[in-house]
Amino acid sequence: MPNGRHRQPSRARAALASPLGFTAVAVALIAVLSVAIPYAVRLAGCGETRYLRVAGALGIAPVLQSAADEFNDAGHEYSGTCVFAQAAEVPPHRVMTELSGGGAGGSGVVPDVWVPESSAWVELARVSESGARTIETEPRSLASSPVVVAVPRGTDGVAASWEALLPGERPEGSPLVMVDPNRGVPGMAAMHAVRGILGTGDAADTAMTDFVRDAQPDTAFGEIDLAGVYPAPSGAAPVAVVPEQAVAAYNADGPKTPLEALYPREGTVSLDYPFVTAGDDPVVREAADDLFDVLSGEGYRERLRDMGFRDPDGAAPDRLAGLAGLDPARPRTHDDLTGDALLSAVEDWNRLSMPSRALVLADVSAHMRADIAPGGPSRLEVTRQAALLGLTLFPDDTDMGLWLLSDEFGETGREEAEGLAELGSSDAGSGTTRREELQAIAEDIGVEGGGSRLYDNILAAYETVDGSYEEDHINSVIVLTAGRDDGSSEISHGELVAELQDRFDPERPVTLFIIAFGDQPERAELAEIAAATSGTLSVADDPGEIGDIFLSSISRRLCVPDCE
């Protein structure tokens, strides 16, 4: 399992068919049909042949494929054009990308009919000009399934609430398994619900940061196969966010670890499996309507019920009512996951889960000898603790470097102890990771004396990170300091602020986070420096505050570049 606190070996990721696997299935199926259909065409004597390409979410794809076979067996001709249906399972995020005109190099096939898990995908696709032009606005629902919180039957202490997802509310040692919000609406629903519980403001953003960092290691990249999650191989069993249908299908097989579906009392999102047509070709539209008629037949409705789906209106079939661990009553649902709320749920996750790239400046000037408060510890001792704690908070895919600041190091006023590199990486043949190297440096750090050259080095560090900016990372400079320059730099405070304001680019932000230890007579000046890059100044008088300060700094990425 990826690094994370109190983790057990995860099977969630291994249990998933990867997006590439989905695509391979689609390609293979289409390849087979492309051979078989022309043979049928020759027998039918059609003047022209068209293909109705159907893409469906994993859970409902088998039904779509059966309906496509029936559609083809019946034969459908429209003004001399024969149409054959090709159905495949394709992840909704890939279809959305294609329908939005964002496919890379035209590698995907744009479907004529799309059945994602939720109309939320339709709304996201229609944000683009291409999607708004080609995707119908009132799709028809084939089935429904509410998003639930799943736990092993008999689990104590888990409330029927979205609060059960928070790190402190789950059973001790129990990880959270949910789909990445970029890949599935259950993940979007979880993010939206947690934000609603936590609220807004700095404290809420810090708590949201803690939630995302706790959930990310066990996040799945496709629909979750519960048989691959339960029973847990070791440790506490996970809490999972999944459609009710997934729990029904899992429990119907008589598993060793049966599950209970908890229906959040605050309300949940009902997945509606919309039948969406794209494009304005009249032949394709008519064929799509005929395929929908096939799917609307009682035989297919009954098959969907047998698979654990509810009817489009939320009514539970008798089979669902007979399964232990499920409640056939219509749960409280809401339609809040739309518009800005939908976009915010995805954006919050992306900003907080995006890898970090941070150059850390550690002040080792003479001012670091002073105690942070009467009786100690010293500023340097707290800096050491902060550096070691920070190294535990950032995952292996974080790029991190370290500079030590003192004019005792010579002309530049710094020692560039480690350049930017992934914490999980290691030099060839050394067997020692960058994280371990930085931990060793932090443990041995000592006061060098002299001035800090603080202003000069902040600017130099900013230029270094900005000059090697990486779009897929959160780029930042973290300063651990006594907060005193004392004229040791060649540039003044005012000149530094002006330089940072001039260099800060909202389209590719590099943010400055200053953590100053002890009494700060120059607090206003330090705050002005951080604010020039939409960053923050935090003053620590207590070593116990360091963890919260780091989480608060990470949460700042939710508002950059518009932080106040």
Side-chain angles (χ1 to χ4, degrees), residues 240-396:
V241 180
V242 291
E244 177 193 62
Q245 182 272 332
V247 179
Y250 171 82
N251 279 355
D253 289 337
K256 181 179 179 180
T257 305
L259 300 179
E260 180 180 2
L262 304 178
Y263 302 82
R265 57 175 173 261
E266 303 91 347
T268 187
V269 171
S270 181
L271 307 181
D272 60 340
Y273 299 89
F275 184 93
V276 186
T277 57
D280 54 8
D281 187 307
V283 169
V284 170
R285 289 270 182 171
E286 190 174 354
D289 287 341
D290 288 341
L291 178 61
F292 182 80
D293 289 341
V294 173
L295 286 161
S296 299
E298 188 58 28
Y300 287 100
R301 294 292 189 195
E302 196 59 35
R303 181 173 174 185
L304 287 167
R305 294 172 186 137
D306 287 343
M307 294 170 65
F309 290 99
R310 293 176 180 244
D311 289 345
D313 64 359
D318 293 340
R319 182 176 183 277
L320 195 66
L323 285 174
L326 301 173
D327 185 349
R330 286 183 176 88
R332 180 182 177 186
T333 59
H334 62 76
D335 297 321
D336 297 341
L337 193 62
T338 184
D340 289 342
L342 175 61
L343 294 174
S344 294
V346 177
E347 289 173 357
D348 276 6
W349 176 269
N350 288 343
R351 291 195 181 198
L352 291 173
S353 62
M354 186 180 291
S356 297
R357 187 167 179 271
L359 180 55
V360 180
L361 310 187
D363 185 349
V364 291
S365 68
H367 283 295
M368 297 299 286
R369 289 196 181 96
D371 288 346
I372 195 170
S378 72
R379 286 177 169 136
L380 186 74
E381 289 170 332
V382 178
T383 296
R384 182 185 297 115
Q385 294 176 35
L388 291 171
L389 176 61
L391 284 167
T392 68
L393 293 176
F394 290 94
D396 281 348

Side-chain angles (χ1 to χ4, degrees), residues 192-210:
H192 174 71
V194 169
R195 171 56 81 183
I197 290 169
L198 297 178
T200 58
D202 291 344
D205 285 349
T206 299
M208 177 62 85
T209 302
D210 192 32

Side-chain angles (χ1 to χ4, degrees), residues 193-536:
V194 169
R195 171 56 81 183
I197 290 169
L198 297 178
T200 58
D202 291 344
D205 285 349
T206 299
M208 177 62 85
T209 302
D210 192 32
F211 167 73
V212 171
R213 293 176 67 80
D214 184 82
Q216 189 179 8
D218 292 288
T219 300
F221 292 125
E223 293 188 37
I224 295 171
D225 176 6
L226 291 172
V229 178
Y230 302 98
S234 64
V239 171
V241 180
V242 291
E244 177 193 62
Q245 182 272 332
V247 179
Y250 171 82
N251 279 355
D253 289 337
K256 181 179 179 180
T257 305
L259 300 179
E260 180 180 2
L262 304 178
Y263 302 82
R265 57 175 173 261
E266 303 91 347
T268 187
V269 171
S270 181
L271 307 181
D272 60 340
Y273 299 89
F275 184 93
V276 186
T277 57
D280 54 8
D281 187 307
V283 169
V284 170
R285 289 270 182 171
E286 190 174 354
D289 287 341
D290 288 341
L291 178 61
F292 182 80
D293 289 341
V294 173
L295 286 161
S296 299
E298 188 58 28
Y300 287 100
R301 294 292 189 195
E302 196 59 35
R303 181 173 174 185
L304 287 167
R305 294 172 186 137
D306 287 343
M307 294 170 65
F309 290 99
R310 293 176 180 244
D311 289 345
D313 64 359
D318 293 340
R319 182 176 183 277
L320 195 66
L323 285 174
L326 301 173
D327 185 349
R330 286 183 176 88
R332 180 182 177 186
T333 59
H334 62 76
D335 297 321
D336 297 341
L337 193 62
T338 184
D340 289 342
L342 175 61
L343 294 174
S344 294
V346 177
E347 289 173 357
D348 276 6
W349 176 269
N350 288 343
R351 291 195 181 198
L352 291 173
S353 62
M354 186 180 291
S356 297
R357 187 167 179 271
L359 180 55
V360 180
L361 310 187
D363 185 349
V364 291
S365 68
H367 283 295
M368 297 299 286
R369 289 196 181 96
D371 288 346
I372 195 170
S378 72
R379 286 177 169 136
L380 186 74
E381 289 170 332
V382 178
T383 296
R384 182 185 297 115
Q385 294 176 35
L388 291 171
L389 176 61
L391 284 167
T392 68
L393 293 176
F394 290 94
D396 281 348
D397 61 357
T398 300
D399 288 347
M400 187 169 285
L402 175 65
W403 291 2
L404 306 179
L405 309 187
S406 167
D407 57 15
E408 293 295 313
F409 288 125
E411 184 178 352
T412 63
R414 64 179 178 270
E415 177 183 327
E416 298 182 8
E418 294 284 355
L420 287 163
E422 281 197 1
L423 289 177
S425 66
S426 59
D427 294 332
S430 72
T432 302
T433 66
R434 171 55 58 91
R435 186 191 304 276
E436 292 168 336
E437 292 174 355
L438 288 171
Q439 286 171 335
I441 294 172
E443 288 170 351
D444 292 338
I445 197 172
V447 174
E448 295 293 326
S452 65
R453 296 284 294 275
L454 184 64
Y455 297 162
D456 286 346
N457 281 308
I458 285 177
L459 182 58
Y462 194 91
E463 290 174 338
T464 296
V465 176
D466 185 50
S468 56
Y469 185 89
E470 294 190 7
E471 295 283 350
D472 58 348
H473 284 65
I474 298 295
N475 296 260
S476 62
V477 176
I478 300 173
V479 185
L480 309 176
T481 181
R484 315 290 177 83
D485 182 87
D486 290 339
S488 60
S489 293
E490 294 182 4
I491 61 172
S492 67
H493 166 266
E495 289 170 333
L496 173 60
V497 171
E499 286 282 355
L500 292 173
Q501 289 174 335
D502 184 60
R503 294 169 188 270
F504 182 73
D505 182 353
E507 298 300 320
R508 51 194 311 273
V510 175
T511 309
L512 185 63
F513 300 110
I514 301 176
I515 303 176
F517 303 109
D519 180 52
Q520 294 300 317
E522 298 179 5
R523 182 172 187 149
E525 288 85 347
L526 293 173
E528 191 176 3
I529 292 169
T533 67
S534 205
T536 57

